[in-house]
Structure formats: C-alpha cells, structure tokens
Amino acid sequence: MKPGLARGVRLVHDPVRDADALLYPEGSLLLAGPAPDVVRACDGATDVEGLVRVLSAGYADVNAEDVTALVDDLVARRLLADGGPPVTAQLCAGDPAGGLLPIGMVAELTYRCPLKCGYCSNPVQLTPQPELTTDQWITVLTQARELGVLQLHFSGGEPVLRPDLPDLVAVARGLGMYTNLITSGIGVTEGRLGRLVAAGLDHVQLSVQDADAPAADAIAGLRSHDKKIAVAALVTATGLPLTVNVVLHAANVDRLADVADFAARLGADRLELAHTQYYGWGLINRAALMPTADQVRRAGLAAAEAYQRHGKDIDIVYVEPDYHTGHPKPCMSGWGSRQFSVSPTGVMLPCLAAEQLPGPPPPNVTEASLADIWHSSELFNRFRGTEWMPSPCHDCALREIDFGGCRCQAFQLIGDAAATDPACTLSPHHHLLADEAAHAGTAERPAIVPRRY
C-alpha cells in the first residue's frame, strides 16, 4: 500500500477552526493531532514503512501501528487510495472564530426545474419573489466561509438553469469550500460542464429515477433517462467523482437491484438509495409513494446484496424509511448544529422544510448576516441542544444521537414541532405513523400529483 489521495478528496486548512480537514463528496472529516502530517506525507509512492521514517524526522517515538491504523481507516473511508496523487493542502479563507460552527450549506439557487417528480421536497406554494442576484449569492458564500462552512451543495430545483453557476462555483472554490453540484442532468452540456470544471467544481450528484427508461421518464414527467446516461458519461470523462442518487418509493423500490447495477454501468463512485422523505410534493403524494412493509423488507435485502456485488467499487449508502423502522432519523445531525440551507429568495433555514413551522417569519440573508442568523435568530435556537426536549426524549439515552427526530415531521403529523417524532416507537403518537405504514398499498393507490413550478 502506497497511499495518496482518493479521487475527489481534498485536504484544506481551515483558519476559522484552526484545523485541517479532508473534504470529499457529500462529507468532511476534521483531522486532529498528528493526523494531518500523516496525510500530508501520503504521496502515492511511499509505503507505510516509508511514512513512518518521514514522520520520525518531526516526531519522537512514532508508532508504526498507529500510522498503519490511521492509513487503514482512511482507506476504508475511501479518502486515501493506493497509488493516489500526492496530498497538497489548500488554505481556506477566513479568520479564527469561536462558538458552534456549521460544516455544510445547501445553496438552493432556484426552484425552477424541468422535471415533475412527485416526491420533490421543494415547497408546494411559492411566494412570487425574485431570486437572489449573483452579487447577493457571492455575499452569502463569502459569509458562509467566514462562518465555518466547508461543504457547499449547489441545489434547487435545477441549479444549472442559473447562468451564473460557474461564477458561483469559482468563488466558492476560491474561498476553499468543497463544491457539490446536485442536478437532474437536464441542461448539462459538455460546454457547461467544462466551464464548471474549469471553475473548480469538485463533485456531481446526478438524480436518477429508475433503471428502466420508460419507468424513469414516467416519474420525471418527460423523456430524460437517456439524457442522464449521457451526462453521467460526460462527468466521468472529466475525472470528477459521480454520485448517483435514487429516491425510492412504491413504483421503483422493487427494482433496487437493477438500479444498483445501472449505477455501476454509469461508472458511479457513490450510490445513494434513499426512501422518499415526505415533505413538499412528497407529502402530498404520500399515499401514492409509500412502499408496503414487504417492499421495505425486500429492499433492505436487495441493498445488502447490491453492496456485496458492487461495494468494492462503489460507496453505497442505503437510507431506511423511518415510517417503517420505528427509529427516527437524526434531525440534521442536530438542529442548527452542523448545516443550514439558503432558499432562492434568501430565506435561511436549519433544514430545507423548516419554513413551514409556526412562529416568527424565518430570517432572510438580505436582512441580516449569516452569522447573526446562525448564532442569534429565534428559529435556529428554537431546537438547539437537548434542553427544549419534552419526555420521553429528554430522558432518553439516544437524545444525542437522534435529537428527538424530525421537527418538521412532528409538526406535519401532529401539529407540534416540539413533540417526539412520531416515527419513534416511544412517541405517544407513533400509532398514527405506524398505521399509515401498515396500510400502505392496501387500497388502490391514487395517481401521483406531478410537481409543478
């Protein structure tokens, strides 16, 4: 093993935290102690024994077992790879800051999208307000880096519809942030992708609706499957890492194995198989989309089998449906603790669905700085930590793991955003969700209401 950086991974030094971090598709890893120096010594040509000799020049009593364990762990995480390129570090912009700092930001550049997917989490009702301008977005990106953001997700809608996307990617990359493009592929051409790569784009996440063209096109509401295949080929030709994202629901979940094989043929580095989250259009279409308990059981088996077939070459992430598991999903890894989103009109939220919650109007980046909103706004502080939690969450041993579940789901289902997420078996309202899941598919499914802008 002669470790170097894996494809799509970067090492940066973050002066906001005074820490080094490995940035990679959809994630980041803060490094501590001697770990950054170990990573810097990885040049793709030196074996672990050689790394120990290099490190011994700067450290006393270097333990070869510790170095081996760290390298093995980073290889297992797909952050280092045998024969990968030498590690070079980029200095991020920013000055030291204290307090709770966010890692990730979702920049929803526009809600415009040519697809009509009935599971879309975009808001159903949109206020007729102008999108943020290029200069306003540049201000947002600059403030986001100053606040501590390392991972930036350009999303929508379809972000490629913004002609200034390459400019925004260039600004973000110049600040040191890792840039992810989340796209339907519609509108991505060789020329546009080339400009994004030149601007410093790090990674592409491509949404795919199914492995079968007619079924995929039916879900998308237009003929788009063949276009996605072509876009995947363009992305892999650039050398960028490619994630294929598939939202699972009653109409496609039984083809999970075919979807995994399809992603492998596309040359994907990562495959995200995530059951529908019932927000926005997904909530409207819940009765049509929710799989049966037997479908969910089979999907879990198929995901495990897909990992056996493709896990060596593809990082496969399977997200189980909390409607069926009895375990709530962690609310954004802690409300207002790791990430936030900014809508096309500048609304800053702890999660994409939080604008629906009752209370004061959500803060807007055109009226306050990101730092003021993050640290001081009522919305971001409402469910931070665990002190706000009622029983049974307040006394639960898992409160620092699942954070009481999803605030938006609790509000949607029982009208109380502070209540225990009904997905949890300990919730007094769990029967509402469990009954919904148990009866999924027992009656004739309604037609899907297509997303519209």
Side-chain angles (χ1 to χ4, degrees):
M1 166 65 70
K2 297 179 178 180
L5 281 182
R7 189 153 67 109
V9 180
R10 290 200 285 116
L11 176 69
V12 301
H13 180 74
D14 176 16
V16 176
R17 295 176 176 82
D18 190 23
D20 295 280
L22 283 170
L23 307 180
Y24 54 94
E26 313 290 341
S28 57
L29 178 67
L30 295 176
L31 302 175
D37 290 328
V38 175
V39 172
R40 286 188 180 90
C42 295
D43 59 5
T46 305
D47 60 18
V48 176
E49 184 177 337
L51 294 180
V52 172
R53 289 195 297 271
V54 171
L55 293 166
S56 295
Y59 290 92
D61 301 323
V62 175
N63 189 314
E65 292 182 357
D66 290 343
V67 175
T68 301
L70 175 61
V71 169
D72 288 346
D73 179 59
L74 295 178
V75 169
R77 294 172 182 252
R78 303 175 191 261
L79 302 179
L80 295 179
D82 190 18
V87 176
T88 58
Q90 178 184 0
L91 176 64
C92 295
D95 297 309
L100 187 66
L101 303 175
I103 291 282
M105 167 184 161
V106 177
E108 293 187 293
L109 299 184
T110 180
Y111 285 139
R112 292 171 288 147
C113 182
L115 301 189
K116 301 177 181 180
C117 307
Y119 52 73
C120 182
S121 61
N122 280 174
V124 175
Q125 300 295 332
L126 298 175
T127 55
Q129 295 178 338
E131 296 176 354
L132 295 181
T133 66
T134 303
D135 288 342
Q136 287 174 318
W137 271 116
I138 290 174
T139 298
V140 168
L141 299 181
T142 303
Q143 292 183 5
R145 175 78 285 274
E146 293 170 351
L147 187 56
V149 169
L150 290 168
Q151 187 86 200
L152 181 62
H153 308 275
F154 289 109
S155 181
E158 176 47 67
V160 174
L161 295 178
R162 289 276 304 215
D164 57 357
L165 178 59
D167 299 322
L168 300 180
V169 169
V171 169
R173 180 61 183 263
L175 292 168
M177 291 186 283
Y178 195 94
T179 54
N180 301 286
L181 173 63
I182 303 173
T183 178
S184 67
I186 307 303
V188 176
T189 63
E190 184 174 6
R192 285 180 176 175
L193 183 60
R195 288 191 289 273
L196 291 171
V197 172
L201 185 67
D202 287 300
H203 164 248
V204 175
Q205 182 190 114
L206 178 67
S207 69
V208 169
Q209 282 66 41
D210 206 317
D212 175 71
D217 292 343
I219 296 168
L222 79 163
R223 293 182 180 177
S224 58
H225 189 69
D226 290 343
K227 171 65 175 176
K228 292 172 184 285
I229 295 174
V231 169
L234 291 176
V235 173
T236 56
T238 68
L240 288 180
L242 171 67
T243 292
V244 169
N245 175 269
V246 184
V247 177
L248 300 173
H249 48 82
N252 69 359
V253 68
D254 289 323
R255 290 189 290 277
L256 189 153
D258 295 334
V259 167
D261 293 343
F262 177 63
R265 293 196 298 273
L266 291 180
D269 298 271
R270 297 180 71 253
L271 171 61
E272 292 186 1
L273 299 163
H275 284 265
T276 300
Q277 303 289 307
Y278 299 106
Y279 309 109
W281 294 94
L283 182 61
I284 286 178
N285 289 307
R286 185 175 61 177
L289 295 169
M290 187 180 294
T292 66
D294 195 48
Q295 283 183 307
V296 171
R297 181 190 61 80
R298 293 197 303 269
L301 295 174
E305 291 171 358
Y307 184 82
Q308 291 296 320
R309 290 197 308 278
H310 303 296
K312 183 179 179 180
D313 302 313
I314 304 176
D315 184 15
I316 299 177
V317 179
Y318 175 65
V319 181
E320 295 182 299
D322 60 352
Y323 265 55
H324 290 80
T325 63
H327 305 292
K329 56 183 178 290
C331 185
M332 304 302 290
S333 299
W335 180 276
S337 65
R338 293 181 56 85
Q339 52 194 327
F340 62 89
S341 66
V342 177
S343 79
T345 58
V347 176
M348 182 170 166
L349 299 167
C351 75
L352 296 174
E355 193 169 3
Q356 67 182 299
L357 300 183
N364 195 292
V365 299
T366 62
E367 300 169 354
S369 70
L370 271 66
D372 285 345
I373 295 172
W374 174 264
H375 291 296
S376 305
S377 69
E378 187 276 340
L379 178 61
F380 275 78
N381 283 288
R382 191 182 303 174
F383 301 117
R384 269 196 175 125
T386 59
E387 288 305 311
W388 62 270
M389 291 182 174
S391 294
C393 293
H394 190 271
D395 305 313
C396 181
L398 300 178
R399 65 183 180 277
E400 299 285 356
I401 297 175
D402 61 29
F403 309 101
C406 178
R407 301 300 90 227
C408 299
Q409 188 158 272
F411 173 71
Q412 289 176 169
L413 295 177
I414 60 177
D416 182 2
T420 301
D421 187 341
C424 180
T425 54
L426 298 179
S427 166
H429 302 96
H430 179 65
H431 64 280
L432 299 175
L433 190 148
D435 289 347
E436 194 79 33
H439 291 93
T442 58
E444 184 177 355
R445 292 187 183 273
I448 291 179
V449 179
R451 178 201 188 273
R452 59 183 181 276
Y453 176 72

